[in-house]
Amino acid sequence: MGAEQDERKVAPEQGGAARRRRGWWWWMWRVPVALALFSVLQVLALRFIDPPFSTVMLFRQVEALAQGEWGFRIHYQWRDLDQMAASVPISLVAAEDQRFPEHNGFDLQAIEKARANNAKGKRLRGASTISQQTAKNVFLWQGRSWLRKGLEVWYTVLIEALWSKQRIIEVYANVAEFGDGIYGVQAASRSYWNKDASQLSAAESARLAAVLPSPRRYSAARPGPYVQRRAAWIQRQARQLGGADYLEAGD
């Protein structure tokens, strides 16, 4: 009798352990699947809905409040692509990602060049595409970590699969930072030249593109020698690419 009672005591304990293991595995595969589905819905929704803000904007506002900058405000106003000067998107492409219409989110040629350049001990060079920067700015956060980089790759794949190239450059032009707290070409145009984004000249568009990716270090409104040289280079590159017509290749 004693042995039978011991067996009956052990059996429920084993059954409880098995249930806990099943519960653990249930969460192990369902949570990632749920998060993946949520991210797909996020990206799909923003194919049609203009984002009211980005995570980068949100983090910057929280950072300002944490530092006691109570008067800090984000400047952001959406503009559709056809409401911007035609020089805006081609300037961004000329400055940031000249193979934008051709690649699928990742420029392998630029990655190889950056790897070779960095291996020689030269100045660090990045190879982030406009698609990757859009993914980071809209859905993620600033900083360096394997987690953020992995999520950046995932979101880049999604936006390339679910958005057109025109939509990608439209969103990027609206969420890119062009000064501390100034996001998008419309806010930048109003802040720096008191005009609408549709009225930007080729030179002004190039100056906006020239301050990327260091908009808090350089100024499009008061360009120093570096920004002036880079803006002139961007204008030359935009012309060599074929101007605004070059972006038609993306769709």
Side-chain angles (χ1 to χ4, degrees):
M1 288 292 293
E4 291 178 0
Q5 288 176 348
D6 289 342
E7 290 176 1
R8 285 195 295 269
K9 289 178 181 179
V10 170
E13 291 176 358
Q14 292 176 340
R19 284 192 295 273
R20 285 193 294 272
R21 284 196 296 272
R22 286 196 297 271
W24 174 254
W25 285 110
W26 189 93
W27 284 106
M28 281 288 287
W29 73 267
R30 280 176 170 79
V31 169
V33 169
L35 291 174
L37 289 175
F38 174 73
S39 64
V40 171
L41 291 175
Q42 271 185 303
V43 176
L44 186 60
L46 293 186
R47 175 179 176 177
F48 308 102
I49 302 170
D50 300 333
F53 63 91
S54 70
T55 54
V56 169
M57 296 179 205
L58 179 61
F59 276 101
R60 180 65 187 98
Q61 185 68 64
V62 171
E63 178 187 37
L65 293 175
Q67 294 174 349
E69 301 175 27
W70 305 111
F72 180 85
R73 294 291 182 272
I74 294 294
H75 298 279
Y76 168 65
Q77 188 176 3
W78 180 271
R79 277 294 182 272
D80 291 340
L81 200 60
D82 60 7
Q83 296 175 317
M84 302 175 194
S87 57
V88 170
I90 189 58
S91 294
L92 294 174
V93 168
E96 299 281 283
D97 184 7
Q98 294 190 9
R99 297 187 66 248
F100 173 69
E102 304 169 18
H103 62 64
N104 293 315
F106 307 95
D107 189 343
L108 301 183
Q109 292 181 21
I111 291 172
E112 179 55 29
K113 287 180 181 178
R115 187 202 63 77
N117 185 77
N118 299 340
K120 293 177 182 178
K122 297 180 180 179
R123 182 181 178 183
L124 288 179
R125 175 178 176 177
S128 182
T129 65
I130 283 176
S131 301
Q132 288 175 270
Q133 293 176 55
T134 302
K136 178 182 68 177
N137 287 342
V138 176
F139 301 105
L140 303 174
W141 61 91
Q142 301 287 1
R144 296 174 180 270
S145 70
W146 287 108
L147 173 61
R148 195 201 63 76
K149 197 63 180 178
L151 289 172
E152 179 186 306
V153 170
W154 170 246
Y155 273 105
T156 299
V157 170
L158 289 182
I159 66 174
E160 280 282 343
L162 298 175
W163 295 0
S164 67
K165 288 288 188 177
Q166 296 293 319
R167 181 59 172 172
I168 294 172
I169 192 66
E170 179 179 59
V171 173
Y172 180 63
N174 275 284
V175 300
E177 184 180 19
F178 293 103
D180 192 12
I182 300 173
Y183 295 89
V185 296
Q186 175 65 11
S189 183
R190 286 294 183 193
S191 298
Y192 299 144
W193 299 294
N194 195 30
K195 62 169 67 174
D196 194 83
S198 64
Q199 300 173 317
L200 286 170
S201 68
E204 290 164 342
S205 298
R207 280 159 61 181
L208 286 176
V211 304
L212 302 174
S214 303
R216 300 184 199 178
R217 179 180 179 184
Y218 300 111
S219 171
R222 296 178 299 278
Y226 167 78
V227 172
Q228 292 179 36
R229 288 195 305 271
R230 181 159 169 77
W233 177 85
I234 289 169
Q235 285 188 268
R236 290 195 301 272
Q237 292 297 303
R239 288 193 296 268
Q240 290 176 15
L241 289 172
D245 291 341
Y246 177 64
L247 296 178
E248 297 299 322
D251 289 311

